[in-house]
Amino acid sequence: MNQQKLLIALNWKSNPATHAEARRLAEDIAGIDAGQNLLVVIPPFPYLAAVRDSLKEKGSSALLGAQDIMPFSADFDRKGSVVLTGEVSADMLRDAGVSHVIIGHSERRWILGESDALINEKLRAAVKTGIEPILCVGEREKTDVPRAVQESVDQLSLAIEGSVSAQYIVAYEPVWAIGGNKTVDPAYASEVIAGIQKYLSTTGSPFPIPVLYGGSVNCENIVSLIQFKNISGFLIGSASLSAKNISCIISKLGT
Ligand code: PGA
């Protein structure tokens, strides 16, 4: 049994299709006993309030996360009215009860073309508002450990520039392993994470920075992943849309 407290972040991405389904899924997740592990449910923006209320009504200790945040800080907003059409500000997220936010997810980097500079702004905005960033990094193509570490560290160092002393979380997600059904070598993931941790130890961060693994985590491969004690938790996409899968994953973690 694994006695380490793990952070399990559930990235629903653009799912489910309806408010009613989101509520149902949140209620089912609220019924899962995560033991000493910390669950963070990360629904799309339109469902934030419903998920928050469902978790609360069921007495769940799970936290609420957002999938993105408006770049620029609250100071920018307060210069006048909030002027960034389509964006959701850090203040709004905090007011909605959000404690964590995903920043720099590969789908935003590589499908929507988010730059390192934009990711850096988003991280600053989250930190300034007291929302803990879950910063995603990872190599785009399958490669070897040193190259994967280099690519991840390059993304990481640019993202945290100006925020090195903040508390944040890193999610190492090899882009090629995302999708729910890809095969990942847990030893490879752990070695890349060790490389990222080595870099983190040089940044002068006053906090221990947890590093999560993400990419096709499921109820089968979780067993071998948790053997690597340098992994602080998991960012789960596909498997997070089923309470049964989440429950199965949690049951493998121990309490
Ligand atoms: P996946 O997604 O679990 O479906 O691979 C993980 C992620 O993209 O965060």
Side-chain angles (χ1 to χ4, degrees):
M1 279 290 180
N2 187 308
Q3 295 304 315
Q4 189 187 354
K5 177 178 170 161
L6 298 168
L7 192 149
I8 311 296
L10 307 173
N11 178 11
W12 289 2
K13 304 193 180 184
S14 316
N15 304 284
T18 68
H19 193 266
E21 286 172 89
R23 246 193 183 278
R24 227 175 4 253
L25 181 54
E27 283 166 12
D28 291 346
I29 291 172
I32 298 171
D33 178 6
Q36 60 168 1
N37 305 295
L38 182 65
L39 279 183
V40 185
V41 186
I42 312 180
F45 289 136
Y47 306 144
L48 279 173
V51 169
R52 175 199 61 205
D53 293 347
S54 296
L55 294 173
K56 201 167 164 209
E57 280 159 26
K58 298 271 173 189
S60 169
S61 57
L63 298 176
L64 186 69
Q67 295 178 17
D68 195 24
I69 191 168
M70 171 179 154
F72 315 118
S73 68
D75 290 349
F76 173 87
D77 304 352
R78 290 198 185 99
K79 282 187 188 133
S81 55
V82 180
V83 283
L84 211 49
T85 303
E87 290 295 324
V88 177
S89 78
D91 279 350
M92 287 182 207
L93 294 181
R94 193 177 50 186
D95 184 60
V98 162
S99 59
H100 291 74
V101 61
I102 296 176
I103 294 175
H105 191 279
S106 61
E107 284 148 12
R108 301 197 64 86
R109 285 181 194 266
W110 305 118
I111 299 174
L112 298 178
E114 274 196 9
S115 67
D116 289 308
L118 186 61
I119 289 164
N120 178 283
E121 292 286 0
K122 289 184 176 188
L123 194 124
R124 286 172 194 250
V127 165
K128 196 155 193 175
T129 319
I131 298 173
E132 195 162 345
I134 301 176
L135 173 67
C136 298
V137 299
E139 77 280 12
R140 200 170 174 188
E141 307 287 345
K142 201 166 186 171
T143 181
D144 53 24
V145 170
R147 271 181 253 213
V149 171
Q150 191 58 55
E151 204 172 325
S152 303
V153 163
D154 286 348
Q155 293 166 2
L156 176 52
S157 60
L158 292 168
I160 62 170
E161 214 177 291
S163 308
V164 283
S165 54
Q167 175 74 76
Y168 58 94
I169 295 163
V170 174
Y172 165 61
E173 298 203 299
V175 180
W176 52 269
I178 291 176
N181 54 2
K182 308 284 164 63
T183 307
V184 277
D185 175 4
Y188 172 90
S190 172
E191 280 177 50
V192 178
I193 287 177
I196 292 171
Q197 285 163 331
K198 194 167 167 213
Y199 165 75
L200 284 168
S201 70
T202 67
T203 59
S205 169
F207 306 107
I209 305 296
V211 184
L212 315 182
Y213 170 76
S216 297
V217 174
N218 58 43
C219 196
E220 281 81 53
N221 61 22
I222 192 78
V223 180
S224 32
L225 283 162
I226 55 169
Q227 289 171 11
F228 294 92
K229 302 295 179 207
N230 65 340
I231 303 179
S232 299
F234 301 94
L235 180 54
I236 305 175
S238 313
S240 75
L241 295 170
S242 146
K244 197 166 150 250
N245 286 338
I246 300 162
S247 186
C248 181
I249 289 170
I250 302 265
S251 73
K252 304 280 169 72
L253 302 180
T255 52

